[in-house]
Amino acid sequence: MEKRANFGSKLGIVLASAGSAVGLGNVWRFPTEVGENGGAAFILVYVLCVIILGLPLMVSEFVIGRRTHKNTADAYRELAPGSAWIFQGYLGVFTAWFILCYYGVVSGWTLKYLVSGFIGELHRVTDSADYFVQFSSSTWAPVVYMAVVMLMCHVVIVRGVQTGIERFSKLMMPLLLLIIALLVVFSFSMPGSADGLRFLLKPDFSKIDSSVILSAMGQAFFSLSIGMGCLCTYASYFTDDAKLVKTAGSVAAIDTTVAVMSGFIIFPAVFSVEAVAPDAGPGLVFITLPNVFQIAFGNVAWLGWLFSVLFYLLLLLAALTSMVSIHEPPTAFLLEHFNLRRSTATTIVTSVCIGVGMLCSLSFGLLADFRPLFGLTFFDFFDFVSAKIFLPVGGIIISLFVGWRLSSDMVFDELSNHGHLHVPRWAFSVYIFLLRWLIPLAIMAIFLKELGVF
Ligand code: PHE
């Protein structure tokens, strides 16, 4: 039997996992949530959610993956043979597959904007809303961009764990962090930027209600890539001396820092030009910001060009490192479960994603009125089912699985690297308590809210 692949270094482990966590969710969703939900007060609630709910779940996924050194589906099979828990293993694989299909479409848009920023086209656009709608609703261009990013991701995955995923993450993550630092400096140097900062950071505790807390939780889970097979699959490549709790802490810290820094980039820039709070979602990065890049630097056009190129490069890198982590769970599953070659498994996953991704992309144009699945377009269907249903259900099952089903001794053994690391007993008890009670109940609340039950 061939030796199973693993990550070659602790730095590789942290950077690959952080690459999964840092994604489109950090750069466009987090800043707008902060702006809409009470500024620094939201950041505080968010950080609490990361520490109390996100970290224990991330550690749990690490435990499942590292203990078994197997793909997600087979990991549950090994830990709970013949039981219904195995369902979660398959769910993880499918959630990843579903997410990749529509995440690739938006990632394709970021590539398009990088290209048109680079060749100066974006700078000449007179109506950025119209430009975005024209592009996203056209038939071929978005499909081609989506296919190109899927193929970029394919090239990384096909090379395997160390020479593909690890090397890519070690190259891209430092670059991504450098770009963020540059963009923050850029943004702060713009006239009027202080108003944006003030808007972002002014704590408004009156905005914090149950619905804002639920949004903060949902954002924390999505941003940390929790609730499916990604982190579990990556952890199956961790070496036995990797420190699970410390790694989770570093990943959460990097992810949160990038999210806050993205706010520091976007808000001062938008306020310096428009003096109002920006739109949420895709409108922010594909409509408002291109406008800002045009106007922001007045007659120093090359600065606007540089800002836009760096910004869309940042988005693309963030999207790609997440896509790679979403591609790996189904690939590892096909490869190990059906004994396929890595190239064959990768090709199957990429082909299905490009096929379904095409339908998702056409949801904005040709197929906008074709809604065979619950009255939703393909894009909305894949987004809804994976992010709003599968992810929370996965989160609940993972916390119950590690909290109740796995033996505490085994979990303790894994967290302490077989007794080599000191893990305080009280901290471990708090961890198990959170997994058994608080986390499942909290996710249940998000889940019901997302479904509109309350
Ligand atoms: N965490 C990624 C982001 O912030 C998205 C993601 C979700 C990646 C689930 C992997 C798994 O965009």
Side-chain angles (χ1 to χ4, degrees), residues 20-21 23-26 103 222-223 225 228 230 322 325-326:
S20 171
L24 298 173
N26 300 59
Y103 204 89
F222 185 80
S223 189
S225 309
M228 48 185 261
C230 290
S322 291
S325 80
I326 313 176

